[in-house]
Structures are given as C-alpha cells and as structure tokens.
Amino acid sequence: MSTAAKKTVLLFYDVLSPYSWIGFEYLCRARNKWNIDLVFKPMLLAAIMKESGNRPPMMVPNKGIYSGKDLHRLRSFYSIPLNRPANVQDVLMNKGSLSAQRLLTSVQMTQSDLTERLSRELWMRVWSRDQDITANESLLEALKAIGVPDDKATKLIQSIKDPKVIERLKEVTNEALSYGAFGAPTIVATDAKNEKQLFFGSDRMELLASILGEKYEGPLVEFAAAKL
C-alpha cells in the first residue's frame, strides 16, 4: 500500500441490490491493499431507476434468468453467502428498500461507524437468509444483531420518519444522479488527472484499480467479512 495521500472512493448503494453487496464487500476487502478512503453513500435505487429511465432486470425476462445464474457464479467467486430470495420478484418489485435505506442514512448521519456492519446485516437478511427488511420489527432485529442497545435501536427506528433523514437520503440519491448514476452500485473515484470517473456495477474493479494506481489481485477472499 502506498504512503501517498489516500484517494477517495464513493460507493453509492442500496441493500436491495445484490450486485451492490458484491461491490461493497470487494471494496471493503480492497481497503486492506489499496490506499483508499472508502465512503459509504446509501441511496435509493428505486429513485435512481425512475429518474434515469432504467428498467429493473426482472422487467427483461432473459436478463432476469441470466442474473440468477450470474449471482450463483459470483457467490462462489467472491465467497459471499448470497442466496436468491424465494420470491425475488416480490422483494424487488413490491417490498423495496425505502425504510432500510432511510435507516442506513440515519446511522450514517449519527453513528457512521455502524454503517458497514448494518449494511452487511441487511444484505445478509434479504440476500442470504431470505428475511424481511421492510417492517420496523425486522430493522430492529438487524440493529440488535450488530450490537446496538435497545434504547438506541428504538431511537434509530423512530428516526426513519425524521424529515432530516428523509431529505438526506434524497440529497445522496441526487448526488449519485448528478454523477450520471443509472443503477447500483455506482462507484465514483478520481483519476490521475483529478477527474471524476464513474463505474457501474461490481465487475469493473480492474479498471477502478487502474485509475487509482493500484493492482487488482482477484476477489481477496482472505479479507472476507461475510463468508460462505
């Protein structure tokens, strides 16, 4: 790892997106190798899709079929306990992630040291154990699972309806759109010419490493926090 100043990498993500989980885990691992400051940016994928005019993979039958197979391969390659929900269409198209993303936003605003663990726990719930992430009771369980005391967990759940939290999630989502986001994950980094570069998806890590002046060394499973 270089002794030069760390380069900032912005990770815009939504726990409804399994590819966001892959990108998230890889970049968390890469911090052990790369000279980067990884900044978590919870955004609302539904708003990104709407404002950019994009369509969910489930709306394109062949893409939905491919995605299922692709995620199975990526599960093994990255050693992430990713399991498709039994009713993936209901999870993606009906239930959504608004409350979960607001909770992450609140945590990021008030207890940012918990953002990584809570994000991972929410992904584990929806994309590994096929558990709910929409009801307050489910989100409370997620907070308790990462060690948040009952009183603080209750206040965080209540903050989901706080206008400041709601506005902050909108701000971060609009920030992602301003960079040109159309899906998740969206990664933004600065190249050698001090220009912002946007990367979409979890499969552009070689290119990201290149513009950061780092070396891509595979999935880095030795640094995995969420394991098969």
Side-chain angles (χ1 to χ4, degrees):
M1 186 183 292
S2 171
T3 57
K6 290 186 176 182
K7 294 181 180 178
T8 300
V9 175
L10 308 179
L11 174 61
F12 295 90
Y13 67 95
D14 188 315
V15 295
L16 199 61
S17 160
Y19 291 99
S20 285
W21 190 12
I22 295 166
F24 171 93
E25 294 295 354
Y26 182 81
L27 289 173
C28 287
R29 298 172 188 181
R31 288 178 305 185
N32 295 280
K33 291 278 192 174
W34 299 355
N35 191 36
I36 61 172
D37 179 20
L38 179 59
V39 180
F40 299 121
K41 293 275 190 174
M43 65 176 185
L44 189 61
L45 179 57
I48 294 289
M49 300 294 282
K50 179 181 178 181
E51 295 301 320
S52 67
N54 199 356
R55 299 175 67 195
M58 294 299 297
M59 299 294 289
V60 183
N62 282 356
K63 188 181 289 187
I65 293 169
Y66 171 81
S67 178
K69 296 177 180 178
D70 190 42
L71 289 173
H72 183 73
R73 291 190 294 252
L74 291 168
R75 178 184 193 273
S76 298
F77 183 74
Y78 284 102
S79 191
I80 294 173
L82 201 161
N83 299 301
R84 197 170 156 110
N87 192 341
V88 67
Q89 185 165 355
D90 185 46
V91 168
L92 296 177
M93 305 302 294
N94 299 324
K95 291 184 176 180
S97 59
L98 179 59
S99 292
Q101 292 304 109
R102 284 181 179 174
L103 177 60
L104 280 171
T105 299
S106 180
V107 166
Q108 182 79 329
M109 292 170 67
T110 60
Q111 295 178 257
S112 59
D113 59 309
L114 297 177
T115 305
E116 179 179 341
R117 282 185 289 156
L118 180 59
S119 298
R120 184 174 290 115
E121 176 59 23
L122 290 170
W123 268 307
M124 288 290 293
R125 287 186 66 87
V126 67
W127 279 104
S128 186
R129 302 190 295 262
D130 197 5
Q131 296 175 324
D132 178 66
I133 59 165
T134 62
N136 285 353
E137 294 80 6
S138 301
L139 298 176
L140 194 61
E141 287 177 5
L143 288 167
K144 291 180 179 180
I146 64 168
V148 178
D150 289 1
D151 57 336
K152 290 185 178 180
T154 299
K155 288 181 180 178
L156 284 168
I157 294 299
Q158 293 170 345
S159 73
I160 290 173
K161 295 182 179 180
D162 188 323
K164 292 181 180 178
V165 172
I166 293 171
E167 184 59 29
R168 179 57 183 162
L169 179 57
K170 290 179 180 178
E171 289 174 356
V172 175
T173 301
N174 286 331
E175 181 186 357
L177 286 166
S178 75
Y179 285 120
F182 55 90
T186 291
I187 302 165
V188 178
T190 305
D191 64 17
K193 297 180 180 178
N194 205 35
E195 296 178 353
K196 299 288 186 184
Q197 297 279 356
L198 179 146
F199 299 88
F200 167 68
S202 58
D203 56 352
R204 296 292 184 270
M205 297 307 174
E206 298 96 327
L207 291 173
L208 177 61
S210 178
I211 74 136
L212 291 171
E214 301 288 352
K215 183 179 179 181
Y216 176 77
E217 299 181 74
L220 301 176
V221 294
E222 65 270 29
F223 299 115
K227 300 179 181 179
L228 286 175

